[in-house]
Amino acid sequence: MFSNSCLQNFRLHRRGALSGALRRPVSVLWAASAVYAPQGVRPPFRPVIQILSTHFQRKRGFPFPLNFARIEQQIASGNSRGILEGFHLNIMHLVNALPGVAAQGLIWGIMAIGVYITFRILDVADLTVDGTMATGGAAFIMLTMAGVPLPAALLGAFLAGMLAGLVTGLFHTACGIPAILAGILTQLALYSVNLRIMGQANRPVSSRQYDLLVDQQSVRSLSLDNPILVVAIFVAAVIALLYWFFGTELGASLRATGSNPNMSRAQGINTNFTKVLGLMLSNGLVALSSALLAQYQGFADVNMGRGAIVIGLAAVIIGEVLFGKVFRNFALKMLAVAIGAILYYLVYQVVIWLGLNTDDMKLITALIVAAFLAIPYWKGKYAHVKVPAGSANAGAKTGGDQDA
C-alpha cells in the first residue's frame, strides 16, 4: 500500500510533533492518511486503531480507549492533527468531570458520616438510609417551594431525617424488632411517605426561581458560589460539631453503648435511649446530605436514595482501609470517610470514562466494598509476624503451650 521508505520519511517529518510513546503508531496512521486522503477513499481503519488501542493499554500504560469515529474522520479528511486529538479527547472528558466528582463526593460524604455513626459507633446495620436519602430532598424542595427561607428548609430536612431515625429506633427498642429489619420496614414505609410529601414521583427545583445554596452550573467557577467550597465548609462544620458532641457525656455514653452495651447498662446508661438518639442523628445527617444533593442536581426523586447504603459503606470502608493507620483522631476518621466518598465517585467516573456499562455499577460497587472488607481480614489471617525467640511474647507463648 505504501513503501517502508515513504513511511520512514513520514515518521521523521512528524517526529517533533509527537511524544515518544505515541510516535510510531500515530505516524503509521498519518502515512496511511497521506496515501488514502488524496483519492477520496475512506479506509476501514477501525480494526487498526483497535489493535493500537489494545497495544497501548497493555504495553504502554495508557488505560483509555480511543475515539475511533473521530480518528477515522480525521484520517479520511487528511487532517493529521485530528488524529492526535482523538487520543487525548477522552482524557479531557475525565479531567472536565473532576470538579463534579469532588462536589458530589463531598455531598455524599455527609451521608457517609451518618452511616459511619450507625455502622462503626453504634455497631448497628441501619438500612433506613435508602429511604431517608429521598426524604430529606423531598422535604427541602417542598419547603422551598412554599417560600420557607433556605436555612429553615435545611433544618426541616434534617428534622425529617431525624423523625425517620426515631421510627426505626422505636421499632428496634420498643417493639423488639431486630435493627436490620426495623430499618427495612422504615425504608419501605418512607417510599409512600416521600410520595405523599412531594405529591408525585419527581419534583424539580431551579436556581433561577429559588435561592439555593449549591448549584451544579457553578461547579467550575472560581467564586464563593462554587459548590465544592460550600459543601467543603459544610463537611468541616459537621465534623467539628460531631467531634464536640461525642466528647460530651451524652456523646460518650452513645459511643460506650456501641462498644459494650452490657457494661454500659451496668454503668447506668439507658442504652435504648442512646440507640434511638444515634439513629436519629445518623438519619438527620443523611437527610441533610439529600437536601444538598437535591439542590445540586436540580430535583428530588423518590428513587434517589436507592443503593445509598452501599455508597455509604463503600466510603466508610475505603476511608478506613486507606487512612486507618494515618488518621487516629476521631475527627480525622470522619474526614477519612468523606475522602472515601470522593474516591468512590472518582472510581465511578472512571468506569463511565472507560466506556463500561453503567448498569454494572452496582455490581462493581459491591465487589469494591467486598474487597475492602476482606483486605483487613486477609491481613490478619495470613500476615504472620515473626517473634524473636528470646522475647517476652515468645516465652509467654511457650509457657501457654506447656500449660496446655
Side-chain angles (χ1 to χ4, degrees), residues 54-352:
T54 304
H55 172 73
F56 276 112
Q57 293 177 33
R58 292 181 179 178
K59 302 296 184 182
R60 299 294 187 181
F62 283 82
F64 59 88
L66 303 181
N67 194 315
F68 301 137
R70 182 176 179 84
I71 295 178
E72 283 184 319
Q73 180 182 2
Q74 299 301 330
I75 289 176
S77 63
N79 182 9
S80 58
R81 289 183 60 86
I83 301 173
L84 189 59
E85 292 176 3
F87 282 85
H88 293 285
L89 185 61
N90 285 333
I91 293 182
M92 295 310 300
H93 286 174
L94 179 62
V95 173
N96 291 333
L98 291 182
V101 168
Q104 289 193 72
L106 288 170
I107 292 174
W108 284 88
I110 299 176
M111 184 276 299
I113 293 174
V115 173
Y116 178 81
I117 292 175
T118 55
F119 183 66
R120 285 305 188 205
I121 298 178
L122 272 183
D123 195 20
V124 172
D126 180 28
L127 298 183
T128 317
V129 173
D130 284 14
T132 313
M133 196 62 196
T135 303
F140 172 83
I141 285 185
M142 298 309 296
L143 290 173
T144 301
M145 294 176 65
V148 176
L150 178 64
L154 289 174
L155 179 60
F158 180 77
L159 294 177
M162 293 189 72
L163 185 60
L166 174 63
V167 174
T168 301
L170 292 178
F171 277 161
H172 176 50
T173 58
C175 301
I177 300 175
I180 188 170
L181 183 56
I184 292 174
L185 292 176
T186 308
Q187 174 198 142
L188 184 65
L190 283 176
Y191 185 87
S192 298
V193 171
N194 295 333
L195 285 174
R196 289 276 187 173
I197 292 174
M198 293 190 292
Q200 58 191 45
N202 186 289
R203 281 284 184 180
V205 62
S206 175
S207 59
R208 299 177 181 177
Q209 299 178 353
Y210 304 100
D211 185 18
L212 302 180
L213 190 61
V214 291
D215 185 11
Q216 188 176 4
Q217 297 179 357
S218 304
V219 73
R220 293 182 179 86
S221 63
L222 297 176
S223 64
L224 296 178
D225 295 333
N226 193 308
I228 299 177
L229 176 62
V230 174
V231 181
I233 295 174
F234 251 85
V235 172
V238 167
I239 292 176
L241 289 174
L242 289 177
Y243 183 74
W244 167 81
F245 170 74
F246 283 106
T248 63
E249 183 178 355
L250 181 59
S253 63
L254 196 152
R255 296 170 67 180
T257 300
S259 178
N260 193 331
N262 295 328
M263 183 59 70
S264 300
R265 283 190 292 267
Q267 296 297 324
I269 298 175
N270 187 345
T271 56
N272 288 337
F273 171 76
T274 52
K275 287 180 180 179
V276 173
L277 178 62
L279 288 169
M280 292 175 63
L281 181 60
S282 170
N283 285 276
L285 291 175
V286 173
L288 179 62
S289 172
S290 175
L292 294 174
L293 181 62
Q295 296 177 67
Y296 179 80
Q297 64 187 11
F299 67 92
D301 189 271
V302 291
N303 294 316
M304 66 186 295
R306 181 175 295 177
I309 184 63
V310 179
I311 299 175
L313 289 176
V316 171
I317 300 305
I318 291 173
E320 287 182 344
V321 171
L322 296 181
F323 304 103
K325 294 184 178 180
V326 181
F327 293 167
R328 298 290 186 177
N329 183 273
F330 181 68
L332 293 179
K333 289 182 178 180
M334 290 187 288
L335 177 61
V337 172
I339 297 175
I342 298 176
L343 294 177
Y344 169 82
Y345 265 90
L346 179 60
V347 173
Y348 184 88
Q349 190 62 43
V350 170
V351 169
I352 297 176

Side-chain angles (χ1 to χ4, degrees), residues 20-30 52 55-56 60 87:
L22 292 174
R23 191 173 292 157
R24 182 177 179 182
V26 176
S27 61
V28 173
L29 297 178
W30 264 323
L52 293 175
H55 172 73
F56 276 112
R60 299 294 187 181
F87 282 85

Side-chain angles (χ1 to χ4, degrees), residues 351-362:
V351 169
I352 297 176
W353 173 62
L354 290 176
L356 301 180
N357 192 346
T358 54
D359 293 339
D360 298 333
M361 192 58 204
K362 299 298 182 183

